[in-house]
Each structure stands twice: as C-alpha cells, then as structure tokens.
Amino acid sequence: MLDPRLTKLANVLVNYSTNVQPGDNVLIDAMEVDAALIKELVKAVSRAGGHSFVSLRESSISRQLLLTGTEEQFRLESEMDKERMEKMQACIIIEGGLNINEVSDVPDEQMKLATSFVKEVSIVRLKKKWVYLRYPTPSMAQLANKSTEAFEQFYFDVCTMDYAKMAKAMQPLKELMERTDRVKITGPGTELTFSIKGIPAIPCPGHYNIPDGEVFTAPVRDSVNGVISFNTPSPYQGFTFEKVRLEFVDGKIVHATANDTERLNSILDTDEGARYIGEFALGVHPVIREPMQDILFDEKIDGSFHFTPGRCYDDASNGNKSNIHWDMVMIQRPEYGGGEIWFDDHLIRRDGRFLLPELAPLNPENLKEQEEHEA
C-alpha cells in the first residue's frame, strides 16, 4: 500500500520547491531511493505538465568509480552531465544510502580530482529550479538515535511542514541582515567578529533544500577574525570530524584542529579559497533539534548557525572561489553551552532564541504554532 506521506512529499518537491510548469524538463537524480517515491515524483511532474528524466545511482558503485576513475573519465562524465543539465528546467536530487561513510576510504587525491569537475555541473544546476533532499534510511535513524519508525515520522514532519509560513517569518531577519555591518559571535571557545556589509541575505524556506530553514549571507572575505569551536559532528568526504576549532586572521584560517587534524588541513589546503569563509547562516527549523551527522538536517537546527569554509554562493557572493563548500554547525541553545549573536552592537539572539520582537516569529514555539494552526 502506498504511504500517503510519499505523495505529500512529492507534491511539496514538485509544486512548491521546484514549481514545475507545463513543458518543464525535470531531472530526478536519485541515490538508493525507494521506487515508490520516484514514481510519485514522476506522477506529480506529469500532472504539472512537465517531463521527467530519471537517473538512478548506487553508492557502492559510485565508490568504485571514484576509486578507479581517471582525469579523462571524470572530465567526460562532467561534460555529459553538464550537457544534460543544460536541457533541464528543474532538478530534484534525492540521496539515500545505507552507509554515510561509503566513500571514506577513497584517497584524498582521487576525491579532489573528481570534485574538481563536479563544480562545472553545479554552476549550471544552480541557475535552474532545483531542490536537494536526503531520503530516510535505518542508518539515518541510528545517527539520530531514534527507532526507524520514529525517525520516519520525524523526517516527514520536517520535510512537509508549512514552508510558506516559514518564508513569511524570515523576511524581517533578511532585512535586518542586509542593514547590518558588524557581526560578533560568542560562546564556549568562540570569539568571532566579521562584517556582512553589502552582501545579500537569502531566506531558504524550502525552495532549494528539503528540509530547509536558514537565512544565509557571507562575510566580507577578509573581515573574519578570532576563533570558533564547533560543538557538533561535521561529516565531510566520508569522514566525521569532531571538535573542529578554527582560528582566523583577516579572513584566513591560519590554524585548524580536530579529531583528525591532518585530514582536516588536507581538505583546507585543497585550494586558496578553502581557507576562507563562503557562507554564514542562521538555522531556524523548529522540528530539527539535535545533530544527526547529516548536514542537510544539521545546518537547519533550531538555535544554530553555520560557518562555511570554501565556495560562496553567487546570490550572496563575497568573491570566494573554491572546490569545497563545507558547512560547519554550532548550536547555541543552553544545553549546548549557549552563546550570543550581535549585529552592530545589538544583541539579536541569545542561547538560540531571537530577542527582537520582529524576529520572534522565528522562535520554535511560534513556527510550530503557525504550523499547527494551519494543520
């Protein structure tokens, strides 16, 4: 029997996130996802008047291709993917997988070689209507410390919430960020200052990622100074980093440590831009409360922010270019040690809660109340 939650999710992805229109070509790119969801997506695209194109991938095969791939092979694959993407109006990317560490033993040089060509495809995709989401698996339930059944319900609660309500609540924060010059962040092991002057702030209420729930901008590239100590696990390239600590001087990461300091610095040495920050964002999703080593969820955690070594986004650009984009998350709710965020000497969030009246609708009880009221 078809799970009606899959139908609801497909409708969110097709009719809200990518807003498929008659005649749109839609790429459905799926890694180890149940066929039932893919079929519901195809149906939803057809009802909207679009045309579906489906790519199915498997993580262990992807690992083998990474292990044995050559520069010529990666380049040709990128060229073909780019050509296909240019013919699409929308793209829905869904990643499942039984093992989040499937590619952890791929040598760094091979990973860097492969990702150096992926960037060209990403540039084309980012100009389309697109959305990315993870698919619930038992391994995700384990990382979230939930039973499989409980995690599934959590997942659908998160992914099908009223994102239109969230969008409305985000507008005052967007406007405040775009009026702000100086940002100061404090917390355990953290004393950080930077400027966001003149850089757009972008609300993310479910148009590009599901789940969603952040407002992002970027620091002025050379303005970051101080130290930050992240308090959540940070998976990247198949390895989970913990206790990441970064020191900045005039925008550049000059000292970095973690549970694998050598591996961390190898990634930060990928290129010049990898040691500069490309994104600063505040997470506000009311249902996502704890880290689960899945960045698509973790970067949206209520009361969190993330700070991202590497490439900036074109719509909030500080000019930083890199082959990496690594969202690192800090939670500032009291049970995680608390913390403060200041905009131009005004305290706007303490211990994960917004203090200004115009930002109060983003506090979790208000977003939840709105959601429940509409249910």
Side-chain angles (χ1 to χ4, degrees):
M1 182 179 295
L2 176 64
D3 188 334
R5 297 176 301 183
L6 294 177
T7 305
K8 183 177 181 181
L9 178 58
N11 285 331
V12 170
L13 297 173
V14 171
N15 299 312
Y16 175 77
S17 297
T18 55
N19 190 25
V20 173
Q21 298 297 303
D24 280 356
N25 295 327
V26 183
L27 176 62
I28 302 169
D29 185 350
M31 169 83 80
E32 296 181 1
V33 173
D34 287 347
L37 175 57
I38 298 173
K39 289 191 288 186
E40 289 304 294
L41 286 167
V42 171
K43 292 176 189 176
V45 169
S46 179
R47 285 193 296 268
H51 314 292
S52 295
F53 300 85
V54 178
S55 174
L56 302 179
R57 296 178 291 125
E58 203 275 330
S59 58
S60 66
I61 295 175
S62 296
R63 170 184 172 274
Q64 195 61 51
L65 289 169
L66 285 169
L67 286 169
T68 60
T70 65
E71 182 174 351
E72 180 182 358
Q73 179 180 338
F74 292 138
R75 179 182 290 109
L76 179 58
E77 182 179 28
S78 172
E79 290 171 356
M80 293 189 297
D81 288 346
K82 181 180 178 182
E83 182 178 355
R84 178 178 62 175
M85 189 63 69
E86 287 171 343
K87 298 180 186 297
M88 300 294 133
Q89 281 72 50
C91 180
I92 299 171
I93 306 168
I94 314 168
E95 290 197 352
L98 299 177
N99 181 3
I100 67 166
N101 296 317
E102 187 66 43
V103 298
S104 61
D105 58 352
V106 175
D108 286 347
E109 291 307 310
Q110 278 293 98
M111 189 65 74
K112 289 177 182 177
L113 181 61
T115 56
S116 69
F117 292 104
V118 170
K119 181 174 68 173
E120 295 301 316
V121 183
S122 298
I123 290 172
V124 176
R125 175 173 59 81
L126 289 172
K127 296 177 181 178
K128 310 291 183 177
K129 297 182 292 185
W130 61 272
V131 64
Y132 171 87
L133 72 156
R134 293 278 291 158
Y135 191 71
T137 64
S139 65
M140 291 174 70
Q142 289 174 328
L143 291 171
N145 294 313
K146 297 178 182 290
S147 69
T148 302
E149 182 177 348
F151 180 77
E152 284 181 356
Q153 189 58 54
F154 162 78
Y155 174 88
F156 287 108
D157 287 345
V158 165
C159 293
T160 61
M161 75 167 288
D162 191 340
Y163 283 107
K165 287 288 185 181
M166 178 185 285
K168 183 178 179 181
M170 285 177 168
Q171 283 306 305
L173 178 58
K174 166 187 167 64
E175 294 167 6
L176 175 60
M177 291 173 76
E178 291 183 338
R179 295 195 304 267
T180 296
D181 176 2
R182 292 168 288 109
V183 177
K184 181 174 74 171
I185 301 177
T186 62
T190 297
E191 185 80 27
L192 201 64
T193 61
F194 54 93
S195 172
I196 56 174
K197 184 177 182 179
I199 299 177
I202 310 298
C204 297
H207 292 297
Y208 300 113
N209 287 325
I210 294 290
D212 218 343
E214 65 174 274
V215 180
F216 75 87
T217 183
V220 174
R221 188 176 186 267
D222 299 330
S223 71
V224 185
N225 284 283
V227 59
I228 184 168
S229 301
F230 293 95
N231 59 8
T232 67
S234 187
Y236 198 74
Q237 294 184 354
F239 181 82
T240 299
F241 292 85
E242 296 182 358
K243 298 181 179 179
V244 176
R245 183 180 184 274
L246 306 178
E247 295 182 20
F248 295 85
V249 173
D250 296 336
K252 185 176 182 179
I253 299 170
V254 296
H255 188 62
T257 59
N259 56 329
D260 191 331
T261 295
E262 182 177 354
R263 187 190 289 249
L264 170 64
N265 281 279
S266 176
I267 295 171
L268 295 177
D269 288 335
T270 297
D271 49 41
E272 180 186 0
R275 285 189 176 266
Y276 289 82
I277 297 298
E279 181 187 1
F280 162 61
L282 300 175
V284 299
H285 199 298
V287 182
I288 308 175
R289 302 279 293 172
E290 311 300 335
M292 49 179 284
Q293 297 185 42
D294 188 309
I295 193 58
L296 192 62
F297 286 76
D298 291 358
E299 67 178 357
K300 316 302 191 317
I301 289 172
D302 170 52
S304 75
F305 72 89
H306 54 276
F307 216 50
T308 306
R311 181 177 64 254
C312 65
Y313 289 113
D314 289 343
D315 46 1
S317 177
N318 66 355
N320 198 45
K321 302 182 185 300
S322 176
N323 285 323
I324 77 163
H325 181 91
W326 185 355
D327 296 313
M328 298 182 179
V329 178
M330 172 176 283
I331 305 172
Q332 292 190 304
R333 301 199 314 271
E335 63 268 34
Y336 284 88
E340 296 179 345
I341 297 179
W342 296 72
F343 286 176
D344 289 333
D345 298 322
H346 297 286
L347 180 62
I348 65 111
R349 198 171 78 170
R350 175 189 287 132
D351 294 346
R353 291 187 58 81
F354 291 101
L355 303 180
L356 303 183
E358 63 269 30
L359 302 184
L362 287 171
N363 286 328
E365 68 278 7
N366 295 326
L367 283 179
K368 284 183 178 181
E369 285 173 1
Q370 292 175 359
E371 168 72 359
E372 291 165 1
H373 178 72
E374 293 294 319

